[in-house]
Amino acid sequence: MTTLLLAEHDNATLSGETAKALTAAKALGAEVHVLVVGETVSAVAEAASKLDGAAKVLTAEGGHLAHRLAEPTAALIVALAEAYDAFVAPATTTGKNVMPRVAALLDVMQVSEVMAVEAPDTFKRPIYAGNAVQTVRSTDAKKVLTIRTSGFDAAGEGGSAAIEAVSATAGDPGVSSFVSEELAKSERPDLSSAKIVVSGGRALGSDEKFKEVIVPLAEKLNAAIGASRAAVDAGYAPNDWQVGQTGKIVAPELYIACGISGAIQHLAGMKDSKVIVAINKDEEAPIFQVADYGLVGDIFTLVPELTEKL
Amino acid sequence: MKILVAVKRVVDYNVKIRVKPDQSGVELANVKMSMNPFDEIAVEEAVRLKEAGTATEVVAVSIGPAQSLDTIRTALAMGADRGILIKTEDAPEPLAIAKMLKSIAEEEKPDLVILGKQAIDDDSNQTGQMLAALTGWGQGTFAYKIAPSEGKVSVTREVDGGLQTVELNLPAVVTTDLRLNEPRYASLPNIMKAKKKPVAEKTPEELGVDTAKRLEVLKTEEPAGRVAGVKVASVDELIEKLKTEAGVL
């Protein structure tokens, strides 16, 4: 019984999502091997080897794996599959892209967005944008899981797992190739793992106002910036800032929603935050039903005042 | 090029669902049903490719109960040419759906299959990737932009941290994200015309697909609730509460 965990990284740094998914992987009760797929991943493998609970770190390096495209990455995992009973990845866009492909190749029904491990074959997962929670038992011999990392604490450090290279030649199906990438460069903490998130909604009214009102508060608090779908659709914020059912799921210590009404799809992405603050001029806005502290009024005066007084 | 689009009948986006008191599932009786919003985006994209002269035929497939015919008719009213309904008793899992779609793809030989990235009922986000795995085709998931060219399709994907563009050999599978396009509303004349468009019916048995469940649903519960907190009167009071009561600053 061994579990294979696919590490999330950018070839240079190991993402914090991996340590959280490791906690879920350990809950399956078996030894966990962490697989680092990419191009020159020694620094990432080094970081993974220190995670408490990683029994071994496997590296698979190759130019065709640099961007962890689903086709070669899934082929690689399937080539290693015989030695493993469970395959786990954080539910990042990489995990969500790769793991169902692995599952289908193994003829397994994946369990998506696991929020709790009840038993090695039994999991809780959200459905209907988190408005219901299902407990499912997998009857497949092998398990394939993606982990909603906001539900798990990060595994600590202190381990010293052996690092072992595995063959990366497992047939790239050769049907896909990487063209380009436009990644937002940000000085801000990562949205998925930030302790504080400041989010803006459609009420901001423009790209300029979003920058003028939301960004200074986020800077003051060293917070990540989030946005509602409405704000993203209106072009006030880039798409990777979207918090919600189909965007990022966050659970920071403090979530400050500014000018966000609180559609169920948005609430699905942030309602597990420890403390929620809502600032909105409409006192009937649904966001106040989940907020610990609500402040009714104009965001254009209240948010700068908050920034000023903090 | 020929495009296959998969569409699912789900509880309407605006309905606040209720969990059954006996925890056996979600209340679906007398609830408004609609096409999965991501699938509407898939249909729209296929129809636009046809209007641009890139696609020659758009076939809409739905798998589900008899009423899924309504969902196919919606796709036809939006501009799809014909439909295929695979009738099932209950809702098969993504793996079985992907196997049925593979069987349809073998018969129809599309150049591109477009699906929603996830259905808003079970939020699985698996079917497109699984179909690509089973056919051995490339997958362009969470599409933000699709640009087909000779024998290839370039797909710009919404990924954590930004956008990524990949090139796939055709045939390929693409799954749609929210910002790929804004789906049209079907006009009344088009809704009338859609009634005359052909829809073929099939069963999982005819396609040779076993739809037995791999996941046993033990129970369905309400999520842990969150109670509304307090309203504060001023920024000063807010800061005070965050510092002393909540202890997060």
Side-chain angles (χ1 to χ4, degrees):
Chain A
M1 284 288 281
T2 314
T3 297
L4 188 67
L5 168 65
L6 179 64
E8 176 74 24
H9 65 92
D10 61 1
N11 290 325
T13 330
L14 181 69
S15 153
E17 308 288 293
T18 308
K20 293 180 184 172
L22 175 57
T23 301
K26 284 196 287 187
L28 299 175
E31 192 174 282
V32 181
H33 294 176
V34 181
L35 173 64
V36 184
V37 178
E39 190 178 29
T40 354
V41 293
S42 50
V44 177
E46 193 71 32
S49 72
K50 296 196 176 94
L51 291 176
D52 184 24
K56 199 195 270 184
V57 174
L58 306 178
T59 58
E61 299 183 321
H64 65 297
L65 297 170
H67 300 280
R68 288 162 293 287
L69 296 190
E71 300 81 359
T73 308
L76 174 80
I77 295 173
V78 169
L80 298 169
E82 208 167 314
Y84 296 95
D85 307 289
F87 304 83
V88 177
T92 56
T93 47
T94 303
K96 290 192 278 199
N97 190 34
V98 172
M99 298 311 273
R101 190 166 179 112
V102 171
L105 292 172
L106 297 174
D107 195 32
V108 168
M109 179 54 209
Q110 172 179 292
V111 184
S112 297
E113 305 268 345
V114 169
M115 50 198 282
V117 177
E118 303 284 291
D121 63 353
T122 308
F123 312 96
K124 279 193 192 291
R125 62 173 305 265
I127 56 173
Y128 289 95
N131 287 298
V133 175
Q134 234 176 23
T135 304
V136 297
R137 197 171 72 82
S138 164
T139 58
D140 285 311
K142 291 182 190 281
K143 316 295 178 210
V144 178
L145 315 174
T146 62
I147 306 300
R148 176 165 288 198
T149 49
S150 61
F152 296 90
D153 293 329
E157 291 198 353
S160 56
I163 300 174
E164 194 179 290
V166 296
S167 165
T169 54
D172 177 0
V175 292
S176 59
S177 57
F178 172 82
V179 177
S180 64
E181 206 162 49
E182 288 170 54
L183 297 183
K185 288 267 172 284
S186 171
E187 303 296 304
R188 310 248 59 76
D190 176 54
L191 184 55
S192 307
S193 53
K195 286 204 160 46
I196 302 179
V197 174
V198 177
S199 257
R202 182 163 43 192
L204 283 147
S206 70
D207 182 11
E208 294 73 38
K209 285 287 173 194
F210 198 100
K211 284 198 187 81
E212 194 180 307
V213 174
I214 300 300
V215 175
L217 178 58
E219 269 169 10
K220 194 81 175 254
L221 291 167
N222 191 29
I225 303 176
S228 69
R229 179 187 169 187
V232 173
D233 283 353
Y236 308 163
N239 62 57
D240 52 305
W241 289 5
Q242 185 182 322
V243 171
Q245 178 183 17
T246 62
K248 294 230 170 50
I249 311 289
V250 302
E253 300 272 301
L254 174 60
Y255 187 91
I256 305 180
C258 310
I260 292 179
S261 62
I264 52 173
Q265 291 78 14
H266 185 77
L267 301 185
M270 45 65 81
K271 67 182 162 54
D272 293 328
S273 305
K274 189 164 162 251
V275 174
I276 297 173
V277 170
I279 305 175
N280 199 303
K281 71 172 188 300
D282 173 13
E283 63 177 315
E284 302 296 324
I287 190 79
F288 288 119
Q289 288 161 22
V290 300
D292 298 280
Y293 302 107
L295 184 53
V296 179
D298 180 18
I299 50 169
F300 299 109
T301 54
L302 292 172
V303 178
E305 186 188 342
L306 178 61
T307 308
E308 172 73 36
K309 288 180 171 166
L310 278 168
Chain B
M1 85 189 313
K2 181 170 171 179
I3 304 180
L4 196 64
V5 184
V7 294
K8 184 178 184 183
R9 178 177 181 266
V10 298
V11 171
D12 186 83
Y13 184 79
N14 289 308
V15 171
K16 173 96 175 77
I17 57 105
R18 283 186 307 121
V19 174
K20 289 183 186 169
D22 65 359
Q23 300 194 329
S24 65
V26 164
E27 192 55 72
L28 296 178
N30 303 316
V31 169
K32 185 184 178 205
M33 306 294 281
S34 297
M35 185 190 296
N36 178 41
F38 289 101
D39 301 346
E40 285 184 340
I41 296 172
V43 174
E44 177 67 33
E45 195 66 16
V47 170
R48 286 188 192 187
L49 286 169
K50 191 182 169 195
E51 287 168 347
T54 311
T56 47
E57 190 183 24
V58 177
V59 182
V61 190
S62 191
I63 301 170
Q67 299 94 312
S68 299
L69 181 59
D70 299 343
T71 313
I72 292 178
R73 292 280 175 217
T74 304
L76 298 176
M78 287 173 73
D81 298 293
R82 60 188 170 89
I84 301 171
L85 170 63
I86 304 169
K87 258 198 222 170
T88 61
E89 288 298 316
D90 55 357
E93 293 168 341
L95 182 61
I97 298 277
K99 288 176 181 175
M100 288 185 255
L101 290 175
K102 181 197 177 207
S103 170
I104 296 292
E106 280 167 353
E107 207 175 292
E108 294 284 341
K109 302 192 171 36
D111 301 285
L112 197 57
V113 184
I114 312 181
L115 311 84
K117 76 164 179 179
Q118 74 194 65
I120 60 163
D121 49 5
D122 66 4
D123 284 331
S124 284
N125 193 339
Q126 299 178 14
T127 305
Q129 296 89 315
M130 288 181 153
L131 173 62
L134 298 174
T135 51
W137 297 347
Q139 63 188 59
T141 52
F142 326 141
Y144 175 82
K145 193 172 162 225
I146 302 176
S149 55
E150 198 53 45
K152 306 251 185 199
V153 61
S154 155
V155 182
T156 302
R157 311 174 50 232
E158 294 201 16
V159 297
D160 294 335
L163 298 171
Q164 178 193 63
T165 303
V166 294
E167 192 173 69
L168 310 171
N169 294 350
L170 294 179
V173 175
V174 169
T175 74
T176 61
D177 217 316
L178 285 174
R179 279 163 285 273
L180 181 60
N181 60 49
E182 211 161 304
R184 71 194 66 192
Y185 291 100
S187 67
L188 190 60
N190 284 340
I191 292 171
M192 300 312 289
K193 264 191 252 167
K195 292 184 177 162
K196 298 205 181 79
K197 291 183 180 175
V199 178
E201 283 195 19
K202 293 179 187 296
T203 64
E205 294 72 37
E206 285 167 19
L207 302 176
V209 174
D210 174 11
T211 58
K213 297 278 169 78
R214 307 291 187 85
L215 299 182
E216 186 188 345
V217 178
L218 303 180
K219 63 179 171 184
T220 305
E221 299 163 282
E222 297 268 357
R226 219 188 151 100
V227 280
V230 295
K231 293 255 168 72
V232 292
S234 67
V235 167
D236 295 311
E237 190 187 347
L238 176 63
I239 294 172
E240 173 65 22
K241 295 254 190 207
L242 290 176
K243 280 188 173 151
T244 55
E245 205 175 270
V248 289
L249 284 183

